[in-house]
Amino acid sequence: MQGSVFFRALALVILAFSSVLADFSARAEPMSGIAMQGKSALDPTRMHLPYADPDAPSGGQIRMGESGSFDSLNPWILQGRPAQGISAYVTESLMLRSYDEPFTLYGLLAESIETDASRSWVAFTLRPEAKFSDGSPVTVEDVIWSFETIGTEGAPRYQTAWKKVKSIIQTGPRSLRIDFTEPNRELALLMGLRPVLSKKQWQGHDFASEMQMAPVGSGPYVVATYDMGRSITLKRNPDWWAKDLPITQGLHHLDRLRWDYFGDQNVMFEAFKAGELDLYRETNAANWHSEYDFPAVQDGHILKEEIANHVPSGIKGLVMNTRKPVFADWRVRQAMILAFNFEFMNRTLTGGAEPRISSYFANSALAMQPGPATGKVADLLAPYAATLLPGTLEGYELPVGDGSTQNRRNMRAALKLMEEAGWTAADDGVLKNAAGEPFRFEIVLQQGADESQSVVDIYIEALRRLGIFPGVTIVDDAQFQARKTSYDFDMTWMFVATSLSPGNEQYLYWGSKGADAPGSRNLMGMHDPAADAMIAALLSAETPEDFTAAVQALDRVLTAGRYVIPIWYAPVTRVAHSRDLHFPATVPLYGDWPGVTPDAWWHEAKK
């Protein structure tokens, strides 16, 4: 009896001690950096980013161009099209991203970050010296107000993650803690990247509709001037609170950043040729080789650069809206892909210089592997085998044309699939269903988007040979954004960039909830439990192997879904720029980064 009492007492002691150990293990040491997978590479208390040059001179400006227009200075809401530069340079987040690592953050407004092993919560401690451009300190109250406001009134990309936040509380004069509804390895990082705004400035304003007020931020630049819809200029803040932090050394050398807006890409290119812009990113390989013989290039005032990148291709091309009955059948979507004569189109429009986008994560180790699914990828997909579209498990490849302009083999295959889906050629040469209704749909394109219009011009000629006569509607920038937001299209142009560290944003791009929510990036309207499960798997993966398997499995679901008719991607970033502009010799893992943003560029006039 005494022994029984003793062992029960011992068990209670062990249980209590285990609780203490569990509580202790849940606590984490403050860190200056955090990575999605593994550990961060730098000591930000002593080191700058590897692609930044602290010895570069400061001063000068860079003038950049954008197609279209803007009507908002609030980049965090769904309404309107925001001006360039504000979210990247005027405001800041708690953490700073390194583009030389797949997904790693270092302390910026926050001097430290803490989280547990399962990342069910995250805590931040603010730097005491952090302040806004008006001189007021960045406080925990500002952070909590910003997170709550943007999370509930901001664009869907913010609201999606915020719904997984259980609580946010102040834990000290400079510290706060966020608890999540469930463990999620990425949410701690996403909270670290949320913009921090001045609560004082926004009092009396409706955040969800205010578009005309220039935000007060804590970033390296402030809004100097803007002409709504035409141009915006940012000037460097000489009193920027973070200018002496080791991690920011070598960044933000330029005194002024200016973006001018143009009606279309051709007008913008002419402005660059005339010396009105300092930098131009060329997205057409054929133009890169044929259109850069103007005087400024010949005399060396304009330099051409090709910067290698090692990031996934993303998905770019014509997306089919499965919310519309015309594209609900996968056989119809496959027929549309077969009718797209990629080989002829690539040769005609790019000189055959670019490789085709073969999947959503092509050009990276995250891309689905050819052939049948095996190993962990097959295991992840197995529970959904009954509902997966053909090719998901067996392997799916985009059709290859026969090299002719007629593309006869693929066109015959396309017509056969259309017949299986209930569409046959009538006596008048028009493809119709059993009720005599023609197969028709509308392609919505943005005015001035030359690449998409050139692609569609060739594509509709091929479709006509099948008895399909689509309508093409070209709208201005504002209408284009509005129609995409409300999914008011049958087919349209889409580009979604994917990264080496896909995360919660995948729900916004392909998740079932985004199929019905206005303003998501799920333009195809896919509603697939398998995709949702693969996103959940990549978010919960604790090893690089499990993470890669989950992304490859997601890639199979997306690609075999036949939602997008993909075109090509550039394995290099092609940038032409003034010879007085320079960027560091060290190119980060995201090689595309220095080619499109001025963070580490500097101005130094040649003598």
Side-chain angles (χ1 to χ4, degrees):
M1 185 71 173
Q2 289 179 338
S4 176
V5 172
F6 170 77
F7 283 113
R8 282 201 298 269
L10 180 61
L12 289 172
V13 170
I14 292 173
L15 181 61
F17 186 63
S18 298
S19 298
V20 171
L21 286 177
D23 182 67
F24 180 77
S25 65
R27 300 176 188 275
E29 291 297 321
M31 303 176 293
S32 54
I34 185 173
M36 179 68 178
Q37 302 285 339
K39 295 184 178 180
S40 54
L42 305 177
D43 177 359
T45 64
R46 296 189 301 165
M47 303 171 68
H48 61 79
L49 296 169
Y51 49 89
D53 186 350
D55 297 324
S58 296
Q61 70 170 344
I62 184 171
R63 300 168 298 168
M64 297 163 284
E66 286 288 325
S67 290
S69 181
F70 70 93
D71 59 4
S72 173
L73 301 177
N74 185 345
W76 307 287
I77 60 175
L78 183 60
Q79 186 176 346
R81 181 173 181 183
Q84 285 289 328
I86 290 175
S87 61
Y89 304 108
V90 174
T91 59
E92 290 178 317
S93 52
L94 297 173
M95 309 290 287
L96 173 70
R97 184 167 188 173
S98 168
Y99 287 93
D100 200 43
E101 301 171 64
F103 193 11
T104 297
L105 307 180
Y106 296 100
L108 186 57
L109 287 170
E111 65 182 11
S112 67
I113 180 173
E114 300 174 59
T115 186
D116 61 336
S118 64
R119 297 192 182 172
S120 62
W121 58 269
V122 66
F124 300 96
T125 299
L126 299 182
R127 296 183 190 271
E129 67 270 34
K131 64 180 181 179
F132 293 108
S133 60
D134 63 3
S136 61
V138 178
T139 67
V140 172
E141 185 180 8
D142 290 313
V143 176
I144 293 176
W145 176 85
S146 298
F147 284 21
E148 290 178 337
T149 302
I150 293 174
T152 56
E153 300 181 39
R157 64 182 182 275
Y158 298 113
Q159 295 189 29
T160 299
W162 188 250
K163 290 175 182 176
K164 299 176 183 178
V165 171
K166 181 166 60 177
S167 64
I168 179 170
I169 60 171
Q170 182 165 354
T171 56
R174 293 188 288 111
S175 58
L176 65 143
R177 172 172 166 145
I178 305 171
D179 284 272
F180 304 121
T181 57
E182 59 188 33
N184 184 307
R185 291 195 59 78
E186 194 190 33
L187 283 175
L189 284 79
L190 293 184
M191 294 301 111
L193 288 176
R194 286 282 157 114
V196 177
L197 309 178
S198 169
K199 178 182 178 180
K200 179 180 65 176
Q201 185 197 17
W202 286 91
Q203 298 308 294
H205 295 271
D206 181 3
F207 184 82
S209 62
E210 176 59 71
M211 300 193 298
Q212 307 300 308
M213 183 173 70
V216 170
S218 60
Y221 292 86
V222 298
V223 176
T225 61
Y226 63 90
D227 183 359
M228 192 65 78
R230 295 183 174 86
S231 69
I232 182 170
T233 300
L234 309 182
K235 66 177 180 180
R236 191 155 57 111
N237 179 8
D239 299 319
W240 180 39
W241 73 271
K243 63 183 178 182
D244 295 324
L245 292 180
I247 196 64
T248 65
Q249 299 309 294
L251 300 178
H252 312 305
H253 300 286
L254 297 159
D255 282 344
R256 288 182 176 264
L257 314 177
R258 179 184 172 95
W259 288 266
D260 286 303
Y261 285 72
F262 299 89
D264 59 50
Q265 202 76 18
N266 289 331
V267 176
M268 184 163 65
F269 184 58
E270 291 301 318
F272 174 66
K273 289 167 61 176
E276 296 174 18
L277 300 177
D278 299 312
L279 181 146
Y280 186 84
R281 182 181 181 185
E282 180 57 71
T283 57
N284 186 296
N287 288 349
W288 184 249
H289 296 294
S290 64
E291 301 298 323
Y292 287 78
D293 58 352
F294 52 90
V297 175
Q298 294 174 350
D299 63 21
H301 282 84
I302 294 294
L303 304 179
K304 296 172 65 180
E305 309 276 3
E306 291 191 0
I307 305 169
N309 68 69
H310 307 283
V311 297
S313 62
I315 192 71
K316 183 179 184 181
L318 290 164
V319 60
M320 293 168 272
N321 188 353
T322 63
R323 301 174 187 86
K324 303 298 182 74
V326 69
F327 289 130
D329 192 319
W330 73 266
R331 293 169 297 185
V332 170
R333 302 197 298 272
Q334 176 68 7
M336 295 298 101
I337 295 172
L338 282 160
F340 190 85
N341 191 346
F342 173 79
E343 289 70 29
F344 172 73
M345 206 169 295
N346 192 27
R347 187 169 65 247
T348 302
L349 299 180
T350 77
E354 307 285 47
R356 190 173 197 182
I357 296 172
S358 57
S359 77
Y360 289 58
F361 294 91
N363 194 46
S364 78
L366 300 178
M368 64 179 190
Q369 300 302 299
T374 59
K376 292 181 178 180
V377 174
D379 293 341
L380 285 166
L381 292 171
Y384 305 92
T387 58
L388 293 173
L389 292 183
T392 310
L393 287 169
E394 308 91 329
Y396 175 80
E397 293 183 2
L398 291 166
V400 178
D402 59 15
S404 71
T405 57
Q406 299 299 311
N407 196 25
R408 288 188 177 88
R409 183 180 59 203
N410 284 355
M411 295 295 274
R412 286 195 296 270
L415 193 57
K416 184 175 183 296
L417 281 171
M418 292 299 291
E419 289 174 352
E420 291 177 7
W423 301 92
T424 55
D427 293 339
D428 58 3
V430 177
L431 210 63
K432 297 180 181 179
N433 61 16
E437 299 166 332
F439 183 86
R440 286 181 181 160
F441 61 92
E442 180 190 31
I443 305 175
V444 178
L445 300 176
Q446 181 181 359
Q447 186 178 27
D450 293 342
E451 182 179 55
S452 61
Q453 291 179 32
S454 298
V455 166
V456 168
D457 285 345
I458 298 174
Y459 185 43
I460 59 176
E461 290 302 318
L463 291 174
R464 286 170 179 164
R465 293 200 294 273
L466 289 177
I468 299 171
F469 299 87
V472 179
T473 302
I474 299 175
V475 297
D476 63 27
D477 180 62
Q479 290 177 299
F480 185 65
Q481 298 302 322
R483 293 193 65 168
K484 286 201 302 181
T485 297
S486 60
Y487 312 124
D488 182 17
F489 61 88
D490 299 321
M491 180 183 285
T492 192
W493 195 254
M494 180 179 90
F495 173 59
V496 174
T498 52
S499 75
L500 292 167
S501 185
N504 282 273
E505 79 286 347
Q506 301 300 300
Y507 281 124
L508 189 67
Y509 297 164
W510 339 111
S512 296
K513 291 182 180 179
D516 301 315
S520 83
R521 299 290 294 276
N522 187 351
L523 296 182
M524 64 272 285
M526 66 179 291
H527 193 292
D528 192 329
D532 294 337
M534 297 311 108
I535 297 171
L538 70 88
L539 288 172
S540 62
E542 295 186 2
T543 68
E545 294 76 18
D546 288 346
F547 177 77
T548 299
V551 181
Q552 289 179 347
L554 175 63
D555 199 16
R556 283 177 173 266
V557 174
L558 293 171
T559 307
R562 299 157 170 92
Y563 301 108
V564 178
I565 307 169
I567 58 164
W568 43 80
Y569 72 95
V572 297
T573 299
R574 301 178 178 94
V575 179
H577 63 86
S578 162
R579 67 176 182 178
D580 294 336
L581 287 175
H582 310 268
F583 60 88
T586 300
V587 176
L589 179 66
Y590 284 82
D592 187 60
W593 173 81
V596 294
T597 60
D599 300 54
W601 290 65
W602 68 88
H603 183 277
E604 186 174 16
K606 288 189 176 294
K607 298 178 181 178

